[in-house]
Amino acid sequence: MKVLHVITRMIVGGAQENTLYNCLDLMRLYGDDVLLATGPSKGPEGALLEQARADHLAVRVVPHLCRAISPPRDARAYAELKRTIEEFRPDVVHTHSAKGGILGRLAGWKLSVPCVVHTVHGAPFYPYQPAPVRTFYRWCETYAAKRCHALISVADAMTDQLVAAGVAPREKFVTIRSGMEVEPFLKAREKRDAMRARLGIAPDEVVVAKIARLFALKGHEDVIHAARTVLASHPRTRFLFIGDGTLRSQHEAKLRELGLSDRFLFVGLVPPDQIPDHLAAADLLVHASYREGLARALPQALLTGIPAISYDVDGAREVVLSGETGELVAPGDIAGLAAAIAKLVADSDLRERQGRAGQARCAEPFDRETMTRQIRELYDDVLAGRFPQQR
């Protein structure tokens, strides 16, 4: 099978890692001929293809494919994608992200590719956008959804949101979890002591990790404010921020103002293969993002054997079960966030029980080979006319 994956950019991020694993596993497990088409990977998040072992994956850079809306560039990117499809002649065009998803689907449909599939990693329209922008993105997604054979959601919540918005009928969706390399997380705790020593974390400190880009709507400010309450009663708590972005200096300045700098550790960008080691140094994960499809950090923490606290947004509740694998908190409830953190910081037995339950819940569904097998079966179903939308 010849498969063309299209994504806007290959920065260090969940959707990008998902796409890379799928490309590599289609080649390794099924012998497929795979080409990845992506726009230039520029930004403070880092370039995933430079950090990951992907030397044998064929990559074509689409020069004018960019994240921002730009009609002249978008028209040229569309033409470049059509030319790529005409030259590669794929059986499948599989798209990701908003811009790559729309232009890639339109190009694949226009050229009558037998199977056009799009993965919804997160809805591109959401409540925090201005209403006209939200309406425009919803219209674009509805238009593009009519020009593909199937839609993959990484969480049931994505399907619910897009169906409610009228983007596509429910039968056009299938949920396939975002796969990852599971084994390193399951074994990561073996490196706990060494990693904590490397990071300068004392044996008696309880570490609360957060993995996210330092951008708007990721909730770092909420964690900082919640930390003031937690530290008042649990002064040996340490907060570990993994990731980088445009708001780093702002967050560091706020911590200096609050006198909390010594309780926070910023490690910046971490290559994907080092995430398990960093989670091994932690005792729990907090995820305070205001929008997310299903943040990979949540199953990653649970696979490591530590509980997760998350705002109750999008697909979080599909892996974080309050009282079982962690705690869910209403978005923006900083007092509730502080209380949930303090509860787990104070109870090592509870952390251990919830971490074990999380491992059992996530090990099989989030395995990269499980994801690729399910995606490959979807391709087969579409090509054979078995998928429900093939009439």
Side-chain angles (χ1 to χ4, degrees), residues 33-92:
D33 185 0
V34 180
L35 175 64
L36 173 63
T38 176
S41 299
K42 297 178 180 178
E45 307 90 347
L48 180 62
L49 292 176
E50 294 176 6
Q51 298 185 20
R53 295 183 295 275
D55 293 343
H56 58 298
L57 172 64
V59 177
R60 178 170 299 187
V61 175
V62 181
H64 293 91
L65 182 57
C66 61
R67 188 181 187 192
I69 294 175
S70 171
R73 289 181 62 93
D74 295 344
R76 296 183 71 175
Y78 174 68
E80 290 163 353
L81 285 171
K82 284 179 64 179
R83 187 159 56 249
T84 298
I85 292 170
E86 289 169 336
E87 293 173 0
F88 186 56
R89 301 180 63 83
D91 303 296
V92 178

Side-chain angles (χ1 to χ4, degrees), residues 36-207:
L36 173 63
T38 176
S41 299
K42 297 178 180 178
E45 307 90 347
L48 180 62
L49 292 176
E50 294 176 6
Q51 298 185 20
R53 295 183 295 275
D55 293 343
H56 58 298
L57 172 64
V59 177
R60 178 170 299 187
V61 175
V62 181
H64 293 91
L65 182 57
C66 61
R67 188 181 187 192
I69 294 175
S70 171
R73 289 181 62 93
D74 295 344
R76 296 183 71 175
Y78 174 68
E80 290 163 353
L81 285 171
K82 284 179 64 179
R83 187 159 56 249
T84 298
I85 292 170
E86 289 169 336
E87 293 173 0
F88 186 56
R89 301 180 63 83
D91 303 296
V92 178
V93 167
H94 187 160
T95 66
H96 310 261
S97 63
K99 181 70 73 66
I102 291 170
L103 296 180
R105 277 179 281 177
L106 299 187
W109 197 260
K110 178 69 173 178
L111 295 174
S112 301
V113 173
C115 175
V116 180
V117 173
H118 176 67
T119 293
V120 182
H121 298 277
F125 50 88
Y126 48 91
Y128 305 100
Q129 291 170 316
V133 174
R134 189 163 64 249
T135 300
F136 173 72
Y137 280 137
R138 186 169 59 243
W139 180 88
C140 288
E141 285 298 316
T142 303
Y143 184 82
K146 293 181 172 67
R147 285 151 183 85
C148 68
H149 300 95
L151 293 159
I152 298 172
S153 295
V154 299
D156 294 335
M158 296 295 93
T159 298
D160 293 342
Q161 289 177 20
L162 269 64
V163 170
V167 169
R170 188 171 295 275
E171 59 267 23
K172 197 161 189 170
F173 291 86
V174 59
T175 297
I176 300 176
R177 300 298 184 194
S178 186
M180 60 192 72
E181 195 75 61
V182 167
E183 200 64 23
F185 291 98
L186 296 176
K187 295 181 176 180
R189 301 288 277 182
E190 298 170 4
K191 302 179 181 178
R192 174 179 170 82
D193 292 342
M195 194 65 194
R196 286 170 71 95
R198 174 181 155 191
L199 293 173
I201 297 168
D204 66 332
E205 290 181 314
V206 178
V207 176

Side-chain angles (χ1 to χ4, degrees), residues 328-381:
L328 288 172
V329 178
D333 180 3
I334 295 175
L337 186 65
I341 295 171
K343 176 182 176 181
L344 283 169
V345 164
D347 194 335
S348 60
D349 290 339
L350 179 60
R351 295 198 303 269
E352 184 67 24
R353 289 197 304 273
Q354 292 189 350
R356 285 198 303 268
Q359 279 186 323
R361 184 175 183 83
C362 295
E364 198 275 335
F366 288 92
D367 183 79
R368 59 186 281 186
E369 293 188 7
T370 299
M371 172 189 73
T372 298
R373 174 178 54 77
Q374 293 173 338
I375 289 174
R376 189 56 158 67
E377 289 171 352
L378 177 63
Y379 296 165
D380 282 335
D381 287 344

